[in-house]
Amino acid sequence: MAEQLAGLADDRALLGRTSTAERVSDILRSRVADGYFPPGTRLSEDSIGGALGVSRNTLREAFRLLTHERLLVHELNRGVFVRVLTVEDVEDIYRTRALVECAVVRGLGEAPYPLRGLADAVAAGETAAAEDDWKAVGTANIHFHQELVTLARSARTDELMRSVFAELRLAFHLVDDPRRLHEPYLTRNREILGALEAGERGAAEGLLERYLADSLERVVEVYRRRVGEEHAP
């Protein structure tokens, strides 16, 4: 916990003089998504408030916002914890992803499309894989899908999916073999990018649909195995 709090203290400068619960929630959301506070971690009001230099009321409002986003959970008489997803949660996340991401690709209109962000995310993933940094590969993969969603040019869709992708990171933190999870999608991300560069949005949608179905199967497999281990005699 000391290391995590030291990292938060570094973020204190981001708050500036106009500190708000929204800014605090942005910082905590990023820290949770990056795994500084893994699923199941209890978040101490005193420690986090002290590290960020914010009032208890401000921090509680930030906790409330993140609880609404399903990243945190409040347990009566115990405190606030980083949420541990269930298999049903993971299935719902992927259902939402399929509905939104495929619809974005389907509605793109005529090429060319602004694909620089997608291309940068693909390159970042390949660089991270070459360095054997599979956590960074997972981050690049999330960025790829975030950039894909921004092609809709919809602030509401971006906001919705920001929360969905943050929840998805909670699932990834429980994966015991990130290379096995993320490595197959390096090639598939580049295939989707290639289809969009060629203006073939129908092909890109088909690739994306199969991609999400396969990813769901892999993540659920991990979750079911972990649940079995936790309940083993």
Side-chain angles (χ1 to χ4, degrees), residues 61 77 81 123 139 144 152 158 166 199-201 210 224:
E61 175 63 13
N77 298 325
F81 295 80
T139 297
F144 177 86
D158 290 345
E200 299 173 353
R201 67 177 187 271
R210 290 190 293 276
R224 293 199 189 281

Side-chain angles (χ1 to χ4, degrees):
M1 179 64 75
E3 181 180 350
Q4 290 95 325
L5 293 176
L8 281 182
D10 293 338
D11 287 334
R12 185 171 179 171
L14 299 175
L15 297 175
R17 295 183 179 180
T18 57
S19 173
T20 65
E22 287 79 9
R23 289 192 179 92
V24 173
S25 67
D26 285 343
I27 289 171
L28 293 180
R29 184 187 301 105
S30 295
R31 290 292 179 171
V32 168
D34 289 342
Y36 284 91
F37 300 113
T41 301
R42 182 181 180 276
L43 301 183
S44 165
E45 286 186 5
D46 292 339
S47 298
I48 293 176
L52 290 175
V54 297
S55 70
R56 179 166 294 186
N57 285 341
T58 296
L59 187 59
R60 285 178 176 175
E61 175 63 13
F63 283 171
R64 187 191 67 79
L65 292 171
L66 296 179
T67 300
H68 180 70
E69 293 180 18
R70 300 175 64 82
L71 295 180
L72 305 182
V73 60
H74 180 267
E75 297 185 11
L76 189 63
N77 298 325
R78 295 193 64 218
V80 175
F81 295 80
V82 179
R83 194 155 169 265
V84 178
L85 301 184
T86 65
V87 170
E88 290 74 21
D89 290 325
V90 174
E91 290 173 339
D92 193 36
I93 288 170
Y94 273 88
R95 200 158 36 238
T96 302
R97 290 186 67 191
L99 286 169
V100 174
E101 293 186 51
C102 290
V104 168
V105 173
R106 193 181 314 124
L108 281 178
E110 297 302 318
Y113 313 119
L115 302 176
R116 177 63 181 272
L118 281 179
D120 288 346
V122 168
E126 292 170 346
T127 298
E131 296 171 351
D132 205 30
D133 186 347
W134 296 100
K135 179 179 178 182
V137 172
T139 297
N141 187 40
I142 292 290
H143 288 167
F144 177 86
H145 291 275
Q146 288 174 324
E147 291 293 339
L148 183 69
V149 169
T150 64
L151 295 177
R153 299 180 182 180
S154 165
R156 290 176 178 82
T157 304
D158 290 345
E159 183 177 357
L160 165 67
M161 295 307 291
R162 180 186 65 173
S163 296
V164 170
F165 288 133
E167 267 196 278
L168 181 63
R169 292 297 292 271
L170 294 181
F172 287 171
H173 293 321
L174 293 182
V175 174
D176 52 7
D177 187 356
R179 177 171 185 168
R180 180 173 179 270
L181 176 66
H182 298 304
E183 187 171 30
Y185 303 109
L186 291 167
T187 300
R188 298 175 82 162
N189 284 349
R190 183 160 286 286
E191 289 173 347
I192 292 170
L193 173 62
L196 291 174
E197 287 174 335
E200 299 173 353
R201 67 177 187 271
E205 182 184 355
L207 290 168
L208 178 61
E209 187 176 13
R210 290 190 293 276
Y211 174 125
L212 292 174
D214 290 345
S215 181
L216 170 60
E217 183 177 352
R218 284 174 177 265
V219 176
V220 166
E221 175 191 349
V222 171
Y223 260 69
R224 293 199 189 281
R225 185 172 68 249
R226 288 188 68 103
V227 169
E229 291 171 353
E230 290 172 3
H231 291 84

